[in-house]
Each structure stands twice: as C-alpha cells, then as structure tokens.
Amino acid sequence: MEKEIDEKRQGTSLVLQEKEGNTKKLFIESYGCAMNFSDSEIVASILTEQGYNTTQKLEEADLVLVNTCSIRDKAEQTVRKRLEKYNAVKRSINPGMKVGVLGCMAERLKSQFLEEEKIVDMVVGPDAYKDLPNLLKEVEEGRDAINVILSKDETYGDISPVRLQSNGINAFVSITRGCDNMCTFCVVPFTRGRERSREPQSIIEEIQDLWNRGFKEVCLLGQNVDSYLWYGGGLKKDFDKASEIQKATAVDFSQLLEMCAVQFPKMRFRFSTSNPQDMHEEVLHVIAKYHNVCNYIHLPVQSGSTRILKEMNRQHTREEYMELVDKIKRIIPGCSISQDIITGFPTETEEDHQDTLSLMEYVEYDFGYMFAYSERPGTLAARKMEDDVPEADKMRRLQEIVDLQQKLSAQRTARFLNQTVEVLIEKESKKSDAHWSGRNSENVVTVFPKENYKPGDFVLVKVTDCTTATLIGEAVGYSEMQVN
Ligand code: 5AD
Ligand code: SF4
C-alpha cells in the first residue's frame, strides 16, 4: 500500500516544464500518494513532446489534468470539488479549456465519469498515459476520449520524468506498480492492477541522471516495494512460469537496493511502501550494512487485532508483525518505524481497538498515518461486510490512536537529544529564514542555524532541543556523505 504525500502538496499545480517552441498550456495537479505525483511527472514529460508547457494558472490553460485518488471517499469528494472549480473557470473565463481525469478515480469510474461530470472530456487510467497523444487528438476533434486498460507490463521505464516542483534534492523513482495483496478494504488492486516490476537497468539509469543533475536523495517507490522482482518482465504472479535462466538471474528488492547503495555511495536511499508479509530479512541486512540506506521503514499494520487482520485479508498475525519488529530492532538498532492504521473496520470491537493501542505501545512507532474506515465500492469488505461501527465510535477510536501516536512520537524525538545526527538540507525552515530544514536518516525533520551551509549539503547536527515532531540543533560540520 501506498503512503500518501504531504498534505500541503496535495492539489498543488505542478510548475514548470518549458520547451522552446511549445505553445499550448497544461495545468496539472495531483492528489493521493507519491506514486500519483511521480506519474504526473511522466505525464508532463509525454505532453512536453505534444507541444505543451506547464502553467500554474488555471485561467490560461488549454488542458487541465487532475491526477486522482480513490483510497477514501473523502479523496474522491475533493476531486469532485475541483471539477466544480474547473467548471466555473471554464464558464466564466476560459471556454476553450479541456479537462482530463487521470489516476485511480479514472480507473474506478471509467465511462461513468463522462456521464456524471459534464466538464470531463477525457478519462485516462494509470497504465494508459502513453496513449495520451491519441486521446488528445480525439478531444481536440471534439469527441470525449477514454482509455482505462490496465497492463501486465507497463512500468513507464523508458520515459524520463520531468521533475516538476522539485527542490533539486529529493526525487521519487518508481520501481514497481500495482498490488496483488487484495486487502479487503482496499481499492488499489482494482485501480492499479497486478504487480509488475521495472527493469533494474532503467532504474539505475534514472538514478544516474538524477545524480548528474545534483539530486542527493532518492525514494524508491511502489505500492509494495518488498515484492519487487525482475525476471525479464511480466506480472509477479507469473514468476512460476519463468524459465530456469530467468529464475536464476532474477533481481529481488534487497538486491536492487544493494545495487543502488553500491553504485551511488553518496546518494541517500529511502523506499516506500513495505508490506509486513513481503519484507524479507535480507532487506534489513542491506539497510544495516549501507550508511546511505536510511534507517527508516514505513510498515503499515492497519490493526493490532489478529481477528481483524484476518478479516482484512492481511497475510500476517499480530504476533508475526511483532516478531518482524523485533527483528528490525535487532538488526538495525535505532531504526524508525512508521505505521498506517485504520479504525472502525467492520466488526471491530473495543477489545480489537485495545489490541491496536497495545501494539502501538509495543512497537513505539515514530510516526503514523491514521484513518477512519471508509467503505470503497467493489472491494470485498464492501460486498461481504456491513460498515457497522458507528461513526462516533470510529472517530473516538481514531482520536485515541492519534493521541497515543503523538505521545510516542514525542518520546521518540526526545531520544535524539544530545546526539549528533546526519541531516540532508532540503529547504529553509518554515518558521525561520535564519534556519535550514532537512531530515535525518530516521526521517525526523531537523532544523538548525544556516551558517554557511546550503541546500543539498550533508551536515552533522548536534541536537539540543526538540518538539513532538522536530529536532532543533546546531551544525558541527559536514558528514562523510558530503561531496565537495
Ligand atoms: N478506508 C480507510 N483507510 C484506508 N486505507 C486504504 N484503504 C482504506 C479505506 N478503505 C489506508 C490504509 C493504507 C493507506 C494508504 O490508506 O491504512 O495503508
Ligand atoms: Fe495512490 Fe491510487 Fe492508492 Fe490513492 S488509491 S493512494 S492514488 S494508489
């Protein structure tokens, strides 16, 4: 499953791809997970070749694209509201504007979108972006256009994404697409299709290009990165049918991560998202072995109750998850672990909820992303189970979980007091233009006085103070990762 992107970036229109001679203007905005933001960069790259430069002004756009998320009902409602806004702009200022819907909602609703939302001219699912030139031609000729075909091998490995709205330091690189896990609450298998992996060489080339352009940190991205498996192409589930040679030369996630760490020793690596049942011990050893692989694992658990985990079709019990956490802590001392949790899944009792709270205490999560259950049409839970936890209970349980996470986060930040951490400077601190802001290996935001350092520098910072989410300190010099 996919981690969602920082809320503040949700819906921001992407800047600024300029190619000389391009005359048409594209406004593209993204909602949902990092994969969607990454896909929008692929889309912008494709459209640059079709004569489009990006704009941040809706009013002057020839084409408006919205990359959508279906994960919860609220995510879909947000997009519906944006469509109302486009409608208003089209009516009052920009009558020639065309509107396309991309991503998970496009895949889920298909042609229903064209019927329900008159403003929409084009519906394009997550595996169909290479067809955009043809679809746009249809739209320009006045017809509605749709392509929502899911693919068994599309990974966009051959497209070099334009880095929209980038700070020039951190970048996402997609390595797998789709998900085979079929959690009963989740719409992703329906919207993103089956798991397939991208050729390692094209991943390495993309990272090389980022390195050449001065990027310092890459997050390897997939709905389920730990099940990365390259054996020459095709779906993960068809691996059994691969030839003996393909099997013998296959590359799994720990091998890919190690390749990245070795080939780019001064580039920092993160990855997201891990599924407990697919995370193998080898990956933990790679994290422990290489300084440039961050000590941070996003490990969604969803519930602390084995009974609920079973109803969710998660492939692990509470105890198995705890064993994995023990292993992480043993192999990578001090590793940060974050969670996703859903409260109020059908049939969840107070006892199940208490199990979730006690598991959180056991793991001592550093961060968390917590949600109330939202029934998604078409999922197994929607078809087979009644959404029977009263809204008030869901919200109270959610609040209890959020409060506990805050307490745990505060404890976990405090452990860095008086320690020296390695920080990659990303930007100016939001609160003070005299301070830089970056993250340490464990993914904790750290701020410190600027002195003569600059964004992109790796700096050792002595931590002198902290809040629940942020470390505050002073730079004591460059780290071993610094390239001069
Ligand atoms: N309702 C609430 N939260 C959900 N998630 C996924 N599907 C749902 C749903 N139907 C959460 C999970 C997942 C994260 C990306 O979103 O916690 O890990
Ligand atoms: Fe990402 Fe789609 Fe999942 Fe939303 S529903 S989090 S966009 S994969």
Side-chain angles (χ1 to χ4, degrees), residues 1-4 71-72 185-187 273 298 300 302 314 340-342 369 371-376:
M1 273 302 314
E2 198 47 46
K3 191 177 85 180
E4 278 181 73
I71 198 102
R72 284 169 288 277
F185 53 80
C186 188
V187 77
T273 294
H298 182 56
Q302 316 299 359
R314 304 286 289 175
D340 287 348
I341 289 174
I342 298 175
Y369 304 86
F371 314 98
Y373 174 67
S374 165
E375 188 177 81
R376 308 312 295 130

PDB file of all heavy atoms in Angstrom, residues 1-4 71-72 185-187 273 298 300 302 314 340-342 369 371-376, ligand 1:
ATOM      1  N   MET A   1       0.839  -1.202   0.000  1.00  0.00           N
ATOM      2  CA  MET A   1       0.000   0.000   0.000  1.00  0.00           C
ATOM      3  C   MET A   1       0.870   1.247   0.000  1.00  0.00           C
ATOM      4  O   MET A   1       2.005   1.232   0.386  1.00  0.00           O
ATOM      5  CB  MET A   1      -0.865   0.020   1.255  1.00  0.00           C
ATOM      6  CG  MET A   1      -2.156  -0.728   1.096  1.00  0.00           C
ATOM      7  SD  MET A   1      -3.162  -0.143  -0.209  1.00  0.00           S
ATOM      8  CE  MET A   1      -3.071   1.604   0.065  1.00  0.00           C
ATOM      9  N   GLU A   2       0.230   2.277  -0.360  1.00  0.00           N
ATOM     10  CA  GLU A   2       0.978   3.465  -0.699  1.00  0.00           C
ATOM     11  C   GLU A   2       0.875   4.528   0.374  1.00  0.00           C
ATOM     12  O   GLU A   2      -0.188   4.763   0.916  1.00  0.00           O
ATOM     13  CB  GLU A   2       0.341   3.994  -1.987  1.00  0.00           C
ATOM     14  CG  GLU A   2       1.175   4.931  -2.736  1.00  0.00           C
ATOM     15  CD  GLU A   2       2.561   4.407  -2.877  1.00  0.00           C
ATOM     16  OE1 GLU A   2       2.761   3.237  -3.204  1.00  0.00           O
ATOM     17  OE2 GLU A   2       3.448   5.218  -2.615  1.00  0.00           O
ATOM     18  N   LYS A   3       1.973   5.156   0.667  1.00  0.00           N
ATOM     19  CA  LYS A   3       1.940   6.259   1.619  1.00  0.00           C
ATOM     20  C   LYS A   3       1.476   7.519   0.896  1.00  0.00           C
ATOM     21  O   LYS A   3       1.894   7.789  -0.218  1.00  0.00           O
ATOM     22  CB  LYS A   3       3.331   6.474   2.192  1.00  0.00           C
ATOM     23  CG  LYS A   3       3.309   7.406   3.370  1.00  0.00           C
ATOM     24  CD  LYS A   3       4.677   7.543   3.967  1.00  0.00           C
ATOM     25  CE  LYS A   3       5.458   8.584   3.239  1.00  0.00           C
ATOM     26  NZ  LYS A   3       6.798   8.757   3.781  1.00  0.00           N
ATOM     27  N   GLU A   4       0.606   8.278   1.562  1.00  0.00           N
ATOM     28  CA  GLU A   4       0.155   9.497   0.903  1.00  0.00           C
ATOM     29  C   GLU A   4       1.182  10.602   1.028  1.00  0.00           C
ATOM     30  O   GLU A   4       1.963  10.638   1.961  1.00  0.00           O
ATOM     31  CB  GLU A   4      -1.163   9.958   1.524  1.00  0.00           C
ATOM     32  CG  GLU A   4      -2.303   9.196   0.921  1.00  0.00           C
ATOM     33  CD  GLU A   4      -3.609   9.625   1.487  1.00  0.00           C
ATOM     34  OE1 GLU A   4      -4.067  10.720   1.156  1.00  0.00           O
ATOM     35  OE2 GLU A   4      -4.150   8.879   2.300  1.00  0.00           O
ATOM     36  N   ILE A  71      -8.679   6.269  -2.600  1.00  0.00           N
ATOM     37  CA  ILE A  71      -8.425   5.429  -1.437  1.00  0.00           C
ATOM     38  C   ILE A  71      -9.514   5.549  -0.373  1.00  0.00           C
ATOM     39  O   ILE A  71      -9.885   4.565   0.248  1.00  0.00           O
ATOM     40  CB  ILE A  71      -7.021   5.697  -0.847  1.00  0.00           C
ATOM     41  CG1 ILE A  71      -6.573   4.556   0.054  1.00  0.00           C
ATOM     42  CG2 ILE A  71      -6.930   6.992  -0.075  1.00  0.00           C
ATOM     43  CD1 ILE A  71      -5.605   3.653  -0.573  1.00  0.00           C
ATOM     44  N   ARG A  72     -10.008   6.780  -0.159  1.00  0.00           N
ATOM     45  CA  ARG A  72     -11.127   7.000   0.754  1.00  0.00           C
ATOM     46  C   ARG A  72     -12.142   7.900   0.068  1.00  0.00           C
ATOM     47  O   ARG A  72     -11.791   8.648  -0.851  1.00  0.00           O
ATOM     48  CB  ARG A  72     -10.655   7.651   2.070  1.00  0.00           C
ATOM     49  CG  ARG A  72      -9.949   6.686   3.003  1.00  0.00           C
ATOM     50  CD  ARG A  72      -9.268   7.385   4.159  1.00  0.00           C
ATOM     51  NE  ARG A  72      -8.099   8.105   3.706  1.00  0.00           N
ATOM     52  CZ  ARG A  72      -6.901   7.546   3.512  1.00  0.00           C
ATOM     53  NH1 ARG A  72      -6.709   6.281   3.772  1.00  0.00           N
ATOM     54  NH2 ARG A  72      -5.897   8.263   3.054  1.00  0.00           N
ATOM     55  N   PHE A 185     -10.247  -4.120   2.335  1.00  0.00           N
ATOM     56  CA  PHE A 185     -10.732  -2.736   2.398  1.00  0.00           C
ATOM     57  C   PHE A 185     -10.278  -1.891   1.217  1.00  0.00           C
ATOM     58  O   PHE A 185     -10.725  -0.780   1.032  1.00  0.00           O
ATOM     59  CB  PHE A 185     -10.236  -2.051   3.694  1.00  0.00           C
ATOM     60  CG  PHE A 185      -8.741  -2.149   3.893  1.00  0.00           C
ATOM     61  CD1 PHE A 185      -7.879  -1.290   3.225  1.00  0.00           C
ATOM     62  CD2 PHE A 185      -8.204  -3.110   4.735  1.00  0.00           C
ATOM     63  CE1 PHE A 185      -6.506  -1.395   3.401  1.00  0.00           C
ATOM     64  CE2 PHE A 185      -6.821  -3.219   4.914  1.00  0.00           C
ATOM     65  CZ  PHE A 185      -5.979  -2.357   4.240  1.00  0.00           C
ATOM     66  N   CYS A 186      -9.372  -2.413   0.392  1.00  0.00           N
ATOM     67  CA  CYS A 186      -8.564  -1.536  -0.453  1.00  0.00           C
ATOM     68  C   CYS A 186      -8.943  -1.565  -1.927  1.00  0.00           C
ATOM     69  O   CYS A 186      -9.106  -2.614  -2.538  1.00  0.00           O
ATOM     70  CB  CYS A 186      -7.094  -1.933  -0.300  1.00  0.00           C
ATOM     71  SG  CYS A 186      -6.032  -0.770  -1.131  1.00  0.00           S
ATOM     72  N   VAL A 187      -9.008  -0.370  -2.480  1.00  0.00           N
ATOM     73  CA  VAL A 187      -9.434  -0.200  -3.864  1.00  0.00           C
ATOM     74  C   VAL A 187      -8.256  -0.330  -4.841  1.00  0.00           C
ATOM     75  O   VAL A 187      -8.451  -0.500  -6.040  1.00  0.00           O
ATOM     76  CB  VAL A 187     -10.144   1.181  -3.980  1.00  0.00           C
ATOM     77  CG1 VAL A 187      -9.129   2.323  -4.010  1.00  0.00           C
ATOM     78  CG2 VAL A 187     -11.066   1.261  -5.167  1.00  0.00           C
ATOM     79  N   THR A 273       6.267   1.622  -0.326  1.00  0.00           N
ATOM     80  CA  THR A 273       5.819   1.191   0.981  1.00  0.00           C
ATOM     81  C   THR A 273       6.104  -0.293   1.178  1.00  0.00           C
ATOM     82  O   THR A 273       6.066  -1.051   0.222  1.00  0.00           O
ATOM     83  CB  THR A 273       4.303   1.440   1.108  1.00  0.00           C
ATOM     84  OG1 THR A 273       4.063   2.824   1.095  1.00  0.00           O
ATOM     85  CG2 THR A 273       3.725   0.855   2.367  1.00  0.00           C
ATOM     86  N   HIS A 298       8.618   2.305   6.604  1.00  0.00           N
ATOM     87  CA  HIS A 298       7.178   2.544   6.732  1.00  0.00           C
ATOM     88  C   HIS A 298       6.497   1.177   6.616  1.00  0.00           C
ATOM     89  O   HIS A 298       6.550   0.536   5.564  1.00  0.00           O
ATOM     90  CB  HIS A 298       6.704   3.490   5.637  1.00  0.00           C
ATOM     91  CG  HIS A 298       5.243   3.794   5.749  1.00  0.00           C
ATOM     92  ND1 HIS A 298       4.687   4.318   6.898  1.00  0.00           N
ATOM     93  CD2 HIS A 298       4.214   3.634   4.877  1.00  0.00           C
ATOM     94  CE1 HIS A 298       3.383   4.464   6.725  1.00  0.00           C
ATOM     95  NE2 HIS A 298       3.072   4.060   5.520  1.00  0.00           N
ATOM     96  N   PRO A 300       3.034  -0.366   7.346  1.00  0.00           N
ATOM     97  CA  PRO A 300       1.621  -0.317   7.724  1.00  0.00           C
ATOM     98  C   PRO A 300       1.176  -1.580   8.449  1.00  0.00           C
ATOM     99  O   PRO A 300       1.577  -2.682   8.060  1.00  0.00           O
ATOM    100  CB  PRO A 300       0.899  -0.195   6.372  1.00  0.00           C
ATOM    101  CG  PRO A 300       1.891   0.453   5.474  1.00  0.00           C
ATOM    102  CD  PRO A 300       3.227  -0.080   5.919  1.00  0.00           C
ATOM    103  N   GLN A 302      -2.314  -1.570  10.007  1.00  0.00           N
ATOM    104  CA  GLN A 302      -3.782  -1.461   9.822  1.00  0.00           C
ATOM    105  C   GLN A 302      -4.572  -1.805  11.076  1.00  0.00           C
ATOM    106  O   GLN A 302      -5.528  -1.124  11.402  1.00  0.00           O
ATOM    107  CB  GLN A 302      -4.313  -2.308   8.648  1.00  0.00           C
ATOM    108  CG  GLN A 302      -3.493  -2.245   7.355  1.00  0.00           C
ATOM    109  CD  GLN A 302      -3.380  -0.875   6.741  1.00  0.00           C
ATOM    110  OE1 GLN A 302      -3.939   0.081   7.255  1.00  0.00           O
ATOM    111  NE2 GLN A 302      -2.630  -0.738   5.659  1.00  0.00           N
ATOM    112  N   ARG A 314      -5.115  -9.425   5.581  1.00  0.00           N
ATOM    113  CA  ARG A 314      -3.677  -9.178   5.716  1.00  0.00           C
ATOM    114  C   ARG A 314      -3.032 -10.552   5.927  1.00  0.00           C
ATOM    115  O   ARG A 314      -3.616 -11.412   6.593  1.00  0.00           O
ATOM    116  CB  ARG A 314      -3.389  -8.264   6.918  1.00  0.00           C
ATOM    117  CG  ARG A 314      -4.122  -6.940   6.872  1.00  0.00           C
ATOM    118  CD  ARG A 314      -3.555  -5.985   5.880  1.00  0.00           C
ATOM    119  NE  ARG A 314      -2.265  -5.469   6.303  1.00  0.00           N
ATOM    120  CZ  ARG A 314      -1.505  -4.667   5.542  1.00  0.00           C
ATOM    121  NH1 ARG A 314      -1.894  -4.321   4.328  1.00  0.00           N
ATOM    122  NH2 ARG A 314      -0.348  -4.213   5.980  1.00  0.00           N
ATOM    123  N   ASP A 340       0.579   2.725   9.188  1.00  0.00           N
ATOM    124  CA  ASP A 340      -0.763   3.136   8.771  1.00  0.00           C
ATOM    125  C   ASP A 340      -1.725   2.301   9.597  1.00  0.00           C
ATOM    126  O   ASP A 340      -1.511   1.089   9.733  1.00  0.00           O
ATOM    127  CB  ASP A 340      -1.042   2.793   7.300  1.00  0.00           C
ATOM    128  CG  ASP A 340      -0.304   3.662   6.306  1.00  0.00           C
ATOM    129  OD1 ASP A 340       0.268   4.683   6.709  1.00  0.00           O
ATOM    130  OD2 ASP A 340      -0.305   3.299   5.113  1.00  0.00           O
ATOM    131  N   ILE A 341      -2.762   2.949  10.126  1.00  0.00           N
ATOM    132  CA  ILE A 341      -3.775   2.210  10.896  1.00  0.00           C
ATOM    133  C   ILE A 341      -5.160   2.667  10.454  1.00  0.00           C
ATOM    134  O   ILE A 341      -5.388   3.860  10.211  1.00  0.00           O
ATOM    135  CB  ILE A 341      -3.583   2.445  12.415  1.00  0.00           C
ATOM    136  CG1 ILE A 341      -2.312   1.725  12.900  1.00  0.00           C
ATOM    137  CG2 ILE A 341      -4.798   1.944  13.214  1.00  0.00           C
ATOM    138  CD1 ILE A 341      -1.948   1.999  14.355  1.00  0.00           C
ATOM    139  N   ILE A 342      -6.054   1.703  10.350  1.00  0.00           N
ATOM    140  CA  ILE A 342      -7.453   2.017  10.045  1.00  0.00           C
ATOM    141  C   ILE A 342      -8.285   1.722  11.290  1.00  0.00           C
ATOM    142  O   ILE A 342      -8.167   0.623  11.853  1.00  0.00           O
ATOM    143  CB  ILE A 342      -7.976   1.148   8.877  1.00  0.00           C
ATOM    144  CG1 ILE A 342      -7.166   1.432   7.602  1.00  0.00           C
ATOM    145  CG2 ILE A 342      -9.453   1.379   8.651  1.00  0.00           C
ATOM    146  CD1 ILE A 342      -7.537   0.535   6.428  1.00  0.00           C
ATOM    147  N   TYR A 369       0.189   7.309  10.118  1.00  0.00           N
ATOM    148  CA  TYR A 369      -0.867   7.859   9.252  1.00  0.00           C
ATOM    149  C   TYR A 369      -2.126   7.081   9.606  1.00  0.00           C
ATOM    150  O   TYR A 369      -2.196   5.875   9.352  1.00  0.00           O
ATOM    151  CB  TYR A 369      -0.510   7.681   7.779  1.00  0.00           C
ATOM    152  CG  TYR A 369       0.829   8.287   7.443  1.00  0.00           C
ATOM    153  CD1 TYR A 369       2.010   7.555   7.618  1.00  0.00           C
ATOM    154  CD2 TYR A 369       0.931   9.592   6.976  1.00  0.00           C
ATOM    155  CE1 TYR A 369       3.243   8.105   7.330  1.00  0.00           C
ATOM    156  CE2 TYR A 369       2.160  10.152   6.686  1.00  0.00           C
ATOM    157  CZ  TYR A 369       3.314   9.398   6.870  1.00  0.00           C
ATOM    158  OH  TYR A 369       4.543   9.942   6.582  1.00  0.00           O
ATOM    159  N   PHE A 371      -6.420   6.532   9.891  1.00  0.00           N
ATOM    160  CA  PHE A 371      -7.630   6.825   9.118  1.00  0.00           C
ATOM    161  C   PHE A 371      -8.830   6.104   9.719  1.00  0.00           C
ATOM    162  O   PHE A 371      -8.689   5.008  10.256  1.00  0.00           O
ATOM    163  CB  PHE A 371      -7.477   6.327   7.677  1.00  0.00           C
ATOM    164  CG  PHE A 371      -6.157   6.678   7.054  1.00  0.00           C
ATOM    165  CD1 PHE A 371      -5.114   5.751   7.016  1.00  0.00           C
ATOM    166  CD2 PHE A 371      -5.944   7.943   6.531  1.00  0.00           C
ATOM    167  CE1 PHE A 371      -3.899   6.080   6.448  1.00  0.00           C
ATOM    168  CE2 PHE A 371      -4.729   8.280   5.954  1.00  0.00           C
ATOM    169  CZ  PHE A 371      -3.702   7.350   5.916  1.00  0.00           C
ATOM    170  N   ALA A 372     -10.013   6.730   9.549  1.00  0.00           N
ATOM    171  CA  ALA A 372     -11.251   6.003   9.856  1.00  0.00           C
ATOM    172  C   ALA A 372     -11.620   5.194   8.620  1.00  0.00           C
ATOM    173  O   ALA A 372     -11.411   5.662   7.487  1.00  0.00           O
ATOM    174  CB  ALA A 372     -12.358   6.990  10.192  1.00  0.00           C
ATOM    175  N   TYR A 373     -12.148   4.012   8.840  1.00  0.00           N
ATOM    176  CA  TYR A 373     -12.519   3.145   7.714  1.00  0.00           C
ATOM    177  C   TYR A 373     -13.527   3.841   6.806  1.00  0.00           C
ATOM    178  O   TYR A 373     -14.501   4.435   7.259  1.00  0.00           O
ATOM    179  CB  TYR A 373     -13.118   1.839   8.242  1.00  0.00           C
ATOM    180  CG  TYR A 373     -13.673   0.946   7.151  1.00  0.00           C
ATOM    181  CD1 TYR A 373     -12.830   0.356   6.225  1.00  0.00           C
ATOM    182  CD2 TYR A 373     -15.039   0.714   7.043  1.00  0.00           C
ATOM    183  CE1 TYR A 373     -13.329  -0.455   5.214  1.00  0.00           C
ATOM    184  CE2 TYR A 373     -15.555  -0.099   6.048  1.00  0.00           C
ATOM    185  CZ  TYR A 373     -14.700  -0.675   5.124  1.00  0.00           C
ATOM    186  OH  TYR A 373     -15.200  -1.470   4.126  1.00  0.00           O
ATOM    187  N   SER A 374     -13.248   3.756   5.507  1.00  0.00           N
ATOM    188  CA  SER A 374     -14.156   4.328   4.510  1.00  0.00           C
ATOM    189  C   SER A 374     -14.480   3.219   3.509  1.00  0.00           C
ATOM    190  O   SER A 374     -13.583   2.675   2.864  1.00  0.00           O
ATOM    191  CB  SER A 374     -13.425   5.505   3.828  1.00  0.00           C
ATOM    192  OG  SER A 374     -14.060   5.892   2.648  1.00  0.00           O
ATOM    193  N   GLU A 375     -15.746   2.861   3.433  1.00  0.00           N
ATOM    194  CA  GLU A 375     -16.113   1.737   2.566  1.00  0.00           C
ATOM    195  C   GLU A 375     -15.911   2.103   1.098  1.00  0.00           C
ATOM    196  O   GLU A 375     -16.373   3.156   0.659  1.00  0.00           O
ATOM    197  CB  GLU A 375     -17.579   1.373   2.814  1.00  0.00           C
ATOM    198  CG  GLU A 375     -18.002   0.114   2.120  1.00  0.00           C
ATOM    199  CD  GLU A 375     -19.444  -0.243   2.455  1.00  0.00           C
ATOM    200  OE1 GLU A 375     -20.352   0.343   1.831  1.00  0.00           O
ATOM    201  OE2 GLU A 375     -19.660  -1.072   3.341  1.00  0.00           O
ATOM    202  N   ARG A 376     -15.221   1.243   0.352  1.00  0.00           N
ATOM    203  CA  ARG A 376     -14.958   1.515  -1.057  1.00  0.00           C
ATOM    204  C   ARG A 376     -15.735   0.551  -1.926  1.00  0.00           C
ATOM    205  O   ARG A 376     -15.576  -0.680  -1.781  1.00  0.00           O
ATOM    206  CB  ARG A 376     -13.447   1.402  -1.375  1.00  0.00           C
ATOM    207  CG  ARG A 376     -12.526   2.199  -0.503  1.00  0.00           C
ATOM    208  CD  ARG A 376     -12.954   3.669  -0.309  1.00  0.00           C
ATOM    209  NE  ARG A 376     -12.933   4.484  -1.505  1.00  0.00           N
ATOM    210  CZ  ARG A 376     -13.946   5.254  -1.906  1.00  0.00           C
ATOM    211  NH1 ARG A 376     -15.080   5.292  -1.236  1.00  0.00           N
ATOM    212  NH2 ARG A 376     -13.853   5.972  -2.982  1.00  0.00           N
TER     213      ARG A 376
HETATM  214  N1  5AD B   1     -10.524   3.251   4.436  1.00  0.00           N
HETATM  215  C1  5AD B   1      -9.648   3.897   5.223  1.00  0.00           C
HETATM  216  N2  5AD B   1      -8.319   3.866   5.032  1.00  0.00           N
HETATM  217  C2  5AD B   1      -7.849   3.134   4.005  1.00  0.00           C
HETATM  218  N3  5AD B   1      -6.605   2.885   3.576  1.00  0.00           N
HETATM  219  C3  5AD B   1      -6.667   2.114   2.479  1.00  0.00           C
HETATM  220  N4  5AD B   1      -7.945   1.830   2.182  1.00  0.00           N
HETATM  221  C4  5AD B   1      -8.700   2.443   3.136  1.00  0.00           C
HETATM  222  C5  5AD B   1     -10.100   2.514   3.377  1.00  0.00           C
HETATM  223  N5  5AD B   1     -10.975   1.872   2.603  1.00  0.00           N
HETATM  224  C6  5AD B   1      -5.412   3.366   4.284  1.00  0.00           C
HETATM  225  C7  5AD B   1      -4.522   2.211   4.699  1.00  0.00           C
HETATM  226  C8  5AD B   1      -3.389   2.298   3.725  1.00  0.00           C
HETATM  227  C9  5AD B   1      -3.299   3.782   3.490  1.00  0.00           C
HETATM  228  C10 5AD B   1      -2.569   4.194   2.266  1.00  0.00           C
HETATM  229  O1  5AD B   1      -4.642   4.173   3.405  1.00  0.00           O
HETATM  230  O2  5AD B   1      -4.076   2.446   6.022  1.00  0.00           O
HETATM  231  O3  5AD B   1      -2.196   1.730   4.206  1.00  0.00           O
END
